[in-house]
């Protein structure tokens, strides 16, 4: 059984910062890509950022230069540092990871709410 648990969401004013964390636990052999997605009210879930096991990153255009994804492989944890937040960043943020147990599967966390007030 694998679990992804996000934390760090909350309410922040525009221009502020938040740091999200997502910790994976369970019978994990290894973790490949770790990703952040977000879903705003009434909208589809969108890609935000990805980091490979080796540390290569890529970002959605809407967050480039403001968000930074990082990971600690020893802790099976991925982070999302969000700076200069805008009201349009308001969403539920989900962690997603490709994890090897007895098979390779994608797992999702339950999400953490981020609200940016103007």
């Amino acid at each position: 059984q694998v679990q992804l648990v996000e934390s760090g969401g909350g309410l922040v004013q525009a221009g502020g910062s938040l740091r999200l964390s997502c910790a994976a636990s369970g019978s994990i052999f290894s973790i490949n890509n770790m990703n952040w997605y977000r879903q705003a009210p009434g909208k589809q879930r969108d890609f935000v950022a990805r980091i490979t096991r080796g540390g290569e990153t890529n970002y959605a255009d809407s967050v480039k230069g403001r968000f930074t994804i990082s990971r600690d492989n020893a802790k099976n944890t991925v982070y999302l540092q969000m700076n200069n937040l805008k009201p349009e960043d308001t969403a539920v943020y989900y962690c997603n990871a490709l994890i090897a147990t007895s098979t390779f599967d994608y797992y999702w966390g339950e999400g953490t709410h981020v609200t940016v007030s103007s």
Side-chain angles (χ1 to χ4, degrees):
Q1 186 77 7
V2 172
Q3 281 192 317
L4 297 178
V5 179
E6 301 99 335
S7 61
L11 173 64
V12 64
Q13 288 189 330
S17 298
L18 284 174
R19 189 190 193 212
L20 306 183
S21 299
C22 172
S25 63
S27 302
I28 296 170
F29 179 70
S30 66
I31 303 177
N32 287 16
N33 293 353
M34 302 186 84
N35 313 295
W36 287 98
Y37 285 77
R38 66 185 181 186
Q39 187 166 16
K43 296 190 176 181
Q44 66 182 21
R45 191 172 297 187
D46 290 329
F47 169 77
V48 175
R50 173 178 296 115
I51 186 166
T52 67
R53 184 167 180 83
E56 295 180 7
T57 61
N58 62 296
Y59 299 90
D61 287 343
S62 58
V63 307
K64 280 180 183 176
R66 300 188 298 121
F67 291 11
T68 302
I69 189 170
S70 60
R71 64 190 285 173
D72 184 333
N73 290 332
K75 296 181 178 179
N76 289 339
T77 299
V78 62
Y79 306 96
L80 187 67
Q81 177 67 42
M82 305 187 295
N83 299 327
N84 190 22
L85 282 160
K86 304 176 180 180
E88 53 264 41
D89 295 318
T90 295
V92 179
Y93 283 72
Y94 296 91
C95 175
N96 166 264
L98 179 57
I99 297 176
T101 56
S102 57
T103 61
F104 271 101
D105 291 289
Y106 278 100
Y107 292 86
W108 289 91
E110 293 294 316
T112 185
H113 289 258
V114 172
T115 302
V116 184
S117 63
S118 57

PDB file of all heavy atoms in Angstrom, residues 16 26 38 42 56 80 113:
ATOM      1  N   GLY A  16       2.443  36.724  -2.065  1.00  0.00           N
ATOM      2  CA  GLY A  16       3.037  35.933  -1.002  1.00  0.00           C
ATOM      3  C   GLY A  16       3.595  34.605  -1.497  1.00  0.00           C
ATOM      4  O   GLY A  16       3.613  34.323  -2.703  1.00  0.00           O
ATOM      5  N   GLY A  26       5.055   3.700   2.300  1.00  0.00           N
ATOM      6  CA  GLY A  26       4.540   2.376   1.968  1.00  0.00           C
ATOM      7  C   GLY A  26       5.654   1.483   1.447  1.00  0.00           C
ATOM      8  O   GLY A  26       6.829   1.748   1.636  1.00  0.00           O
ATOM      9  N   ARG A  38      -2.759  20.807 -10.418  1.00  0.00           N
ATOM     10  CA  ARG A  38      -3.714  21.619  -9.662  1.00  0.00           C
ATOM     11  C   ARG A  38      -5.050  21.650 -10.380  1.00  0.00           C
ATOM     12  O   ARG A  38      -5.121  21.515 -11.603  1.00  0.00           O
ATOM     13  CB  ARG A  38      -3.191  23.037  -9.440  1.00  0.00           C
ATOM     14  CG  ARG A  38      -3.050  23.883 -10.698  1.00  0.00           C
ATOM     15  CD  ARG A  38      -2.410  25.219 -10.349  1.00  0.00           C
ATOM     16  NE  ARG A  38      -2.258  26.092 -11.508  1.00  0.00           N
ATOM     17  CZ  ARG A  38      -1.624  27.255 -11.497  1.00  0.00           C
ATOM     18  NH1 ARG A  38      -1.071  27.699 -10.370  1.00  0.00           N
ATOM     19  NH2 ARG A  38      -1.551  27.987 -12.594  1.00  0.00           N
ATOM     20  N   GLY A  42     -14.321  24.206 -10.766  1.00  0.00           N
ATOM     21  CA  GLY A  42     -15.012  24.172 -12.036  1.00  0.00           C
ATOM     22  C   GLY A  42     -14.127  23.944 -13.249  1.00  0.00           C
ATOM     23  O   GLY A  42     -14.592  24.038 -14.391  1.00  0.00           O
ATOM     24  N   GLU A  56      15.934  16.583 -13.112  1.00  0.00           N
ATOM     25  CA  GLU A  56      15.508  17.420 -14.241  1.00  0.00           C
ATOM     26  C   GLU A  56      14.084  17.907 -13.983  1.00  0.00           C
ATOM     27  O   GLU A  56      13.242  17.154 -13.485  1.00  0.00           O
ATOM     28  CB  GLU A  56      15.576  16.633 -15.541  1.00  0.00           C
ATOM     29  CG  GLU A  56      16.980  16.228 -15.929  1.00  0.00           C
ATOM     30  CD  GLU A  56      17.002  15.445 -17.231  1.00  0.00           C
ATOM     31  OE1 GLU A  56      15.953  15.337 -17.888  1.00  0.00           O
ATOM     32  OE2 GLU A  56      18.080  14.931 -17.585  1.00  0.00           O
ATOM     33  N   LEU A  80       7.111  21.933  -3.527  1.00  0.00           N
ATOM     34  CA  LEU A  80       6.793  22.960  -4.506  1.00  0.00           C
ATOM     35  C   LEU A  80       6.857  24.309  -3.789  1.00  0.00           C
ATOM     36  O   LEU A  80       5.985  24.611  -2.975  1.00  0.00           O
ATOM     37  CB  LEU A  80       5.412  22.743  -5.127  1.00  0.00           C
ATOM     38  CG  LEU A  80       5.067  23.675  -6.280  1.00  0.00           C
ATOM     39  CD1 LEU A  80       5.963  23.387  -7.493  1.00  0.00           C
ATOM     40  CD2 LEU A  80       3.601  23.554  -6.677  1.00  0.00           C
ATOM     41  N   HIS A 113      -5.357  22.483  -0.308  1.00  0.00           N
ATOM     42  CA  HIS A 113      -5.987  23.685  -0.837  1.00  0.00           C
ATOM     43  C   HIS A 113      -5.047  24.877  -0.729  1.00  0.00           C
ATOM     44  O   HIS A 113      -4.454  25.124   0.324  1.00  0.00           O
ATOM     45  CB  HIS A 113      -7.266  23.991  -0.071  1.00  0.00           C
ATOM     46  CG  HIS A 113      -8.377  23.034  -0.351  1.00  0.00           C
ATOM     47  ND1 HIS A 113      -9.428  23.320  -1.189  1.00  0.00           N
ATOM     48  CD2 HIS A 113      -8.592  21.768   0.086  1.00  0.00           C
ATOM     49  CE1 HIS A 113     -10.245  22.277  -1.240  1.00  0.00           C
ATOM     50  NE2 HIS A 113      -9.769  21.329  -0.483  1.00  0.00           N
TER      51      HIS A 113
END
